[in-house]
Amino acid sequence: LLMQTAFILPFVTVETVCHTLSFTSTPATCGQTNGGATVNVNTQNYAPYTYAWSGSASTTNSISGVAAGKYRVTVTGTGGCT
């Protein structure tokens, strides 16, 4: 799953073939790098999961200390289910 968020909506739920994901975000203050986002996998059928965020070195389910913008997270479960 490739998902982008611009930190506009505080909570988003996305369903894919493999997972149901929910997102929360904290908007960055104008011009600052104090925003963040978290993705939660609401189904555990393909656990454990790995996470890869665009624009961040984070490999966990969250990013922090980022400026406002679009960020993409790829969530991959066992068996390559993305």
Side-chain angles (χ1 to χ4, degrees), residues 10-53:
F11 183 83
V12 178
T13 299
V14 176
E15 291 186 36
T16 70
V17 173
C18 301
H19 328 292
T20 300
L21 306 175
S22 60
F23 293 84
T24 56
S25 64
T26 304
T29 307
C30 186
Q32 301 295 311
T33 55
N34 58 357
T38 301
V39 60
N40 291 303
V41 180
N42 299 326
T43 53
Q44 297 299 314
N45 299 342
Y46 298 94
Y49 296 97
T50 59
Y51 305 87
W53 292 87

Side-chain angles (χ1 to χ4, degrees), residues 1 18-19 41 46-52 73-82:
L1 168 73
C18 301
H19 328 292
V41 180
Y46 298 94
Y49 296 97
T50 59
Y51 305 87
V73 60
T74 301
V75 179
T76 304
T78 56
C81 190
T82 301

